[in-house]
Amino acid sequence: SQQGEEDPQALSIQEGENATMNCSYKTSINNLQWYRQNSGRGLVHLILIRSNEREKHSGRLRVTLDTSKKSSSLLITASRAADTASYFCATTRGYGGSQGNLIFGKGTKLSVKP
Amino acid sequence: DGGITQSPKYLFRKEGQNVTLSCEQNLNHDAMYWYRQDPGQGLRLIYYSQIVNDFQKGDIAEGYSVSREKKESFPLTVTSAQKNPTAFYLCASSIDRWSSGTEETQYFGPGTRLLVL
C-alpha cells in the first residue's frame, strides 16, 4: 500500500506564481524526501527533511513537515517553465521484509505555463 | 564524472523472451534498487541489494530476476513469466540502505522503457 499520497494529482500555474504540493503518510517516519521527475527521465532528489525538523529551505524550495498530522508540503516559489515536472514524496518503510526502503507516492504533475 | 547509467534507453521484448536491463554506477554506493513505473503511477520496488552477492525481493518481484556480482552493477532480467512487462524501469543507488540520515537519498538512472512486440 502507498505510504505517501500527494495532493493534488495535477497542478497548472503561470510562470512566476507559487506552487504548493502536499503529501500525507500513514506511519511514523525517520525522514521524508521530495524528488522531481521530468517526463521520461529518472528521478532527481530535491530535499530531505528529518522527523525532528519542521521546515527546510533549498533555493526556491520550502518544505514543511507536520508529524502530528503526518503531512508535508513542498512550496516552489516564483515558478519557472523549467519547473514543469512530476513531484514525488518518499518515506522510509519501517516494517516488514523491505524495512528501510523508500515508498513513493503517485506524484503531483506540475505544469508551469510561460 | 560520477553517476548511474542504464541501458538501453528503449527495449523491445517478444513473447516468451527474456530480456536484461543494465544498470551501472560509479558512485561507490553499496545499495542498489530496481523500480517499475507505470503511466501516472508512483514507483514500485522490484528488487534491492544492500551488498555484493546479496539481494532481496521487493513488492513486485514475480517474473523478474537480478544478480549482484559486482558492486558497480545490478542487472535486471525480465523473464517470460512476467506477463505485463510494458513499463518504465528505473535503477537507483544509495550509500547505505540502513542509515537514517541523508545516506538514504537515492540517485536514479535515466530509465529504460520496455515495450512488448
Side-chain angles (χ1 to χ4, degrees), chain A residues 97, chain B residues 30 32-34 46-58 61 64-69 73-75 97:
Chain B
D30 286 313
M32 297 187 73
Y33 314 81
W34 273 106
I46 304 173
Y47 267 98
Y48 61 95
S49 169
Q50 187 180 356
I51 197 168
V52 174
N53 292 322
D54 180 68
F55 49 82
Q56 304 296 329
K57 292 181 179 179
Y64 301 96
S65 65
V66 294
S67 63
R68 187 84 186 276
E69 297 177 0
S73 179
F74 191 41
R97 192 172 74 86

Side-chain angles (χ1 to χ4, degrees), chain B residues 23-34:
Chain B
C23 177
E24 303 277 333
Q25 54 96 2
N26 60 6
L27 300 168
N28 200 32
H29 286 172
D30 286 313
M32 297 187 73
Y33 314 81
W34 273 106

Side-chain angles (χ1 to χ4, degrees), chain A residues 35-97:
Chain A
Y35 288 81
R36 183 188 74 209
Q37 183 181 34
N38 288 72
S39 181
R41 307 292 293 273
L43 275 70
V44 174
H45 179 259
L46 294 176
I47 197 165
L48 179 151
I49 186 166
R50 300 180 184 179
S51 58
N52 62 353
E53 296 176 312
R54 291 297 167 259
E55 188 171 311
K56 200 165 183 179
H57 297 254
S58 178
R60 293 184 296 111
L61 305 180
R62 181 172 79 98
V63 169
T64 62
L65 179 64
D66 187 336
T67 52
S68 66
K69 295 181 180 179
K70 292 187 171 58
S71 68
S72 173
S73 67
L74 170 67
L75 168 67
I76 303 174
T77 59
S79 63
R80 305 167 182 169
D83 295 326
T84 295
S86 292
Y87 292 82
F88 296 87
C89 67
T91 54
T92 304
R93 193 179 322 212
Y95 58 91

Side-chain angles (χ1 to χ4, degrees), chain A residues 2 30-31 33 35 37 40-45 48 50 88 92-93 97-102 104-107, chain B residues 33 35 37 40-43 45 48 57-59 88 90 97-98 100-102 104-111 113:
Chain A
Q2 297 286 354
N30 292 326
N31 59 59
Q33 304 182 47
Y35 288 81
Q37 183 181 34
R41 307 292 293 273
L43 275 70
V44 174
H45 179 259
L48 179 151
R50 300 180 184 179
F88 296 87
T92 304
R93 193 179 322 212
S98 295
Q99 184 177 359
N101 286 309
L102 293 183
F104 290 85
K106 294 184 179 181
Chain B
Y33 314 81
Y35 294 94
Q37 185 178 32
Q41 300 296 312
L43 280 64
L45 182 66
Y48 61 95
K57 292 181 179 179
D59 298 316
F88 190 51
L90 288 160
R97 192 172 74 86
W98 288 104
S100 59
T102 57
E104 286 184 83
T105 298
Q106 293 189 9
Y107 297 81
F108 284 80
R113 190 165 298 280

Side-chain angles (χ1 to χ4, degrees), chain B residues 5-22:
Chain B
T5 59
Q6 291 184 242
S7 63
K9 187 172 181 179
Y10 295 96
L11 186 58
F12 298 90
R13 194 192 90 164
K14 296 179 181 178
E15 292 287 336
Q17 184 182 40
N18 292 354
V19 292
T20 297
L21 286 63
S22 170

